[in-house]
Amino acid sequence: LRARYYLAVRTPDALRQSVALATQAIQKDPSYPLPYQAIGVTEWVLGTLTVQSPRVAAERAMQALDKAIALNPGYGDAHALRAGIIYNRDWDWPRAEEEFRLALQLGSASAHSMYGWSLATRGRFKEAQDQLRVAEEQDPLGSGPLQNRAEAFYMAHNYPEARRELRRWLELDPRALYALLLLGSVDLFDRNCSAAQADFQKMAGLFPQLPLTWGAVVLSAARCGRPEEARQFLAQVEKTGAPGVARGYIASLYAALHDTEHAIQYLREAVDSREPDLLWLKFDPSFEEFRRDPRYVELERRVGLPQ
């Protein structure tokens, strides 16, 4: 229970604590499947926050989930996360959707949320929101359904609805890292630079060491009339490699500076690393200006998105 609490907090330190507690639970009873599933979720979220490599995160998560399912083949929540990893890591939509449907049949509480997110990445926004609405009804205080609903509205460029969901989330948890990141992104692409900068500065005050924070602050500089700050940051990236910063995020910085060549280069690196956010390639507003570039379309094809 303590591991699941820290998982719900979703800050990097809390997630590491969640893994440690779930590991203690396994040591007390190796035949109990719930801690394995908790480790699977936590490792996966650490990867999405770029705290660890997405490849490493997917491998560790899948190992834990396989153990949970071996102990309880009818464990719907474990099947649901396995479906999400199959989609994010392997880009195998038919197999992932089959696993999602199995999880739903098994009564998984989390399957509606992850399935809804996945449907949204494929442009099936109405079906996605139907699934996410059920997820929220089942878990009205959960951060997962709120995050996925907000992200689906954001990628559908429905910024007012995305902002409404994110403010609800921040009322429940004013320190929610991803809520602040998404709200800043919504404000940024809704052309409200002052609000976006305030969102990202609050994020920086709470999580100053997180690479995701640096990227957000620099992105707002690039898109809000301070391109030199972004160029200085990117020069440092080129010098050091910035191992903690997602390649897709670096690509979005170059896109903000209208540097298509470097943006495509880093998107290719992101594809090679199988970063989860690539599944939004068809709708991410960061890359709107060169969405018809044949090289960009080829990247969508490699990720397995519908053409």
Side-chain angles (χ1 to χ4, degrees):
L1 287 172
R2 289 169 62 204
R4 291 172 68 180
Y5 166 77
Y6 282 112
L7 171 58
V9 174
R10 294 206 171 205
T11 64
D13 288 342
L15 291 166
R16 294 187 186 99
Q17 183 75 351
S18 178
V19 172
L21 287 162
T23 301
Q24 290 178 38
I26 290 168
Q27 290 167 352
K28 290 177 180 294
D29 182 2
S31 67
Y32 187 43
L34 268 68
Y36 293 101
Q37 192 267 350
I39 288 175
V41 178
T42 306
E43 293 286 2
W44 180 250
V45 175
L46 283 168
T48 63
L49 294 178
T50 69
V51 174
Q52 66 181 4
S53 156
R55 283 182 183 273
V56 171
E59 182 179 342
R60 290 178 177 173
M62 195 63 91
Q63 288 173 355
L65 293 171
D66 287 345
K67 184 67 176 176
I69 291 169
L71 291 168
N72 178 6
Y75 192 176
D77 284 352
H79 282 284
L81 182 57
R82 186 156 76 172
I85 294 174
I86 289 168
Y87 185 39
N88 280 270
R89 182 190 65 179
D90 304 331
W91 301 332
D92 186 343
W93 173 247
R95 185 172 159 228
E97 187 164 30
E98 183 179 331
E99 191 83 359
F100 274 129
R101 292 186 181 280
L102 173 61
L104 291 170
Q105 290 170 11
L106 292 169
S108 167
S110 60
H112 291 284
S113 182
M114 285 186 282
Y115 186 33
W117 180 91
S118 301
L119 287 167
T121 67
R122 305 186 73 77
R124 294 161 62 177
F125 290 114
K126 183 182 182 305
E127 292 175 76
Q129 291 296 352
D130 288 343
Q131 292 290 334
L132 293 168
R133 200 171 295 111
V134 174
E136 189 174 357
E137 288 170 358
Q138 292 183 345
D139 186 10
L141 299 180
S143 59
L146 280 169
Q147 174 179 329
N148 290 338
R149 286 199 77 186
E151 198 163 11
F153 281 129
Y154 169 55
M155 291 299 175
H157 300 192
N158 186 342
Y159 299 135
E161 286 297 322
R163 190 178 289 110
R164 183 176 67 84
E165 295 294 331
L166 291 166
R167 285 177 175 159
R168 287 178 56 218
W169 185 2
L170 287 166
E171 284 176 9
L172 293 170
D173 180 6
R175 293 174 53 88
L177 166 64
Y178 212 76
L180 290 168
L181 176 64
L182 268 178
L183 182 59
S185 301
V186 167
D187 287 332
L188 193 62
F189 288 100
D190 204 22
R191 302 181 185 277
N192 188 340
C193 276
S194 60
Q197 289 168 356
D199 299 329
F200 292 145
Q201 286 302 322
K202 184 175 181 181
M203 183 177 159
L206 292 168
F207 308 101
Q209 302 302 318
L210 199 62
L212 209 58
T213 299
W214 315 335
V217 171
V218 175
L219 181 63
S220 68
R223 290 195 171 270
C224 294
R226 304 193 315 279
E228 281 311 311
E229 290 181 35
R231 291 192 179 98
Q232 289 171 11
F233 177 83
L234 289 168
Q236 191 67 17
V237 166
E238 296 293 339
K239 184 177 179 180
T240 65
V245 183
R247 306 292 96 175
Y249 218 86
I250 297 171
S252 71
L253 296 176
Y254 277 114
L257 297 172
H258 312 290
D259 185 339
T260 304
E261 298 305 315
H262 278 97
I264 293 289
Q265 171 193 326
Y266 276 97
L267 281 174
R268 284 173 175 155
E269 292 183 20
V271 169
D272 291 340
S273 300
R274 299 205 167 223
E275 292 180 3
D277 283 348
L278 290 169
L279 289 167
W280 285 119
L281 273 180
K282 290 189 74 69
F283 306 104
D284 191 335
S286 301
F287 307 113
E288 198 66 43
E289 71 177 67
F290 52 85
R291 197 172 301 285
R292 295 183 183 276
D293 188 307
R295 296 169 297 176
Y296 191 87
V297 175
E298 173 59 18
L299 290 172
E300 289 181 358
R301 188 198 62 75
R302 282 183 60 190
V303 173
L305 295 170
Q307 298 299 303

